[in-house]
Amino acid sequence: MDFTSSLHWSELNCIIMDNFKDRVPKSEAEDGATFVFPFFQLATNVMSGNRFLWSGSVAENSFVNPTLRKAGWEADVMLMSADFVISRDMQLHLFQDIPDEPGYVKVEATENIENDEVLVFKEITHSDGHSHLYIVPDLQRFSPYDTDSLLKTSRKNILVQSIFDTFELDNLSCELQPHGPAFAHSMNGFSSVFELVARPKRTVSKFLGHLGTRVLEHFDAKPHVEKEVHQESSIKKGGQMFDYMKPQTDAVIPDIGLMMDICPAIKCEGWPHKALRFFHRTRVWPDHTILNKLLQSSFHFHLVYKPLNPLSQDSVEWRISFSQAEISLFQSMDAFRIYCYRIFKAIYYSELTLPKVLSSYHMKTIFLWACERIPSEMWVESNLAQIIMGLLDDLLHCLVTKNCPHYFIPENNLFAHVHQDFLDHLAKVVAKIRRNPERYPLVKTCSVDQSAAQSASGDQDKPQNESLDDGIELD
């Protein structure tokens, strides 16, 4: 029995599975988006000359249905320098550690990057009168227009042109907005793209047709005349988007957009020196095979430009990104672990997004620590409730203690700069979910026998429950 909620684990299992059975897929076969995004990543890589690197939940295949988030799809994209890569030897000379900020570095400028399209030198004068040159992105050249021109330039390639023709990418509506040192690139009209990728035979046939046309035009040396863009497409739009993904869902889903958070980044060889202790921890996961993969010479980590003080002209810090390591770790997980993580994130998106203190990265960090601690034999469906409730307990502990250790650099506390009042409020919300999981929105409390009986009868009715926010007071 779970003493916090006074429910048997079997009852909690039923509650969680019943609540998320139609909203969080258990396997890749149940989620059509799983097959869409890898193709889209490949396409953008080709179009950008391998300068775009996708990270986060899309690259990890751990995303949740956008209807749970009440928003479109989101993706983190790193735009890297074409030629500048920091080698292992260069890191010892270029990286400048920052006191009390173990997850960040400054990059001193000693290499020639005059012709780089993204990076420039910036001179900073310190209080002692000495000055140093640091590497920073050129935010004037790193702009929405340059990002678009990067893709337009690549369209001189016949293969890229054919991809644009096949997926009608010219019909996508785009909106670009500054987002700190990054840019938020919002694209709408993805229903047709999802529909095409969901029908690979039709898509391949259409692509080959466009490719043949482009090849013939190339050899005939005749300019290609763009066809008039019509609002009505032959591909089904809007509410049909999720038909292939969720056959059991009758709800009409509006056209879902894609928000890409594009940020400047630098590619670095090997593994960060300050994170080497990661490989010497006592753990049950990941195993040595996965750890050795991360230590291979071909592995890279990245620096993402993230000034610690955006209002200061002298703030030139880069955050150490382990996104490629995280992708490798998630790719090594079985479907049930991914299922648990998606449920954990779904709870976050439903109840814990306000105040804007927590992020999905905090959820990921807590989940990875749990994977490292929980024995492999525990990751089975009969233990779903123990795992989800345990993750909520871990989150509650981090909030109360104001300490969320970074998974790869534990000295980096992800809550270090968060006001305690915000954390206390979120702790109350988590504690309320933890004590009363049967009151979770749209949850139908049932016993294991009741669930089986309802499943056999096909009863889909679910009572509406009151919001968890009722009765919670802000300090």
Side-chain angles (χ1 to χ4, degrees), residues 371-430:
C371 288
E372 184 168 296
R373 183 184 70 247
I374 300 174
S376 299
E377 59 269 18
M378 285 289 295
W379 293 92
V380 292
E381 191 169 296
S382 59
N383 293 329
L384 176 64
Q386 287 98 316
I387 292 172
I388 300 301
M389 295 300 109
L391 289 170
L392 289 173
D393 287 338
D394 292 344
L395 172 58
L396 182 58
H397 177 77
C398 291
L399 293 169
V400 171
T401 61
K402 195 185 177 181
N403 183 32
C404 183
H406 190 279
Y407 182 63
F408 298 99
I409 308 177
E411 299 81 12
N412 182 18
N413 178 12
L414 301 180
F415 286 164
H417 302 291
V418 181
H419 197 282
Q420 186 67 56
D421 287 349
F422 293 144
L423 298 179
D424 289 343
H425 169 69
L426 288 167
K428 291 180 181 180
V429 180
V430 175

Side-chain angles (χ1 to χ4, degrees), residues 16-26 30 65 67-68 242 245-250 339 459-460 462:
I16 295 172
M17 295 180 69
D18 188 57
N19 186 43
F20 294 100
K21 66 180 180 181
D22 292 337
R23 299 190 288 170
V24 177
K26 289 185 178 181
E30 297 181 26
N65 192 309
T67 57
L68 286 171
F242 280 91
M245 295 171 64
K246 299 286 183 185
Q248 71 274 29
T249 301
D250 297 326
Y339 178 57
D459 182 12
Q460 299 297 323
K462 297 180 181 180

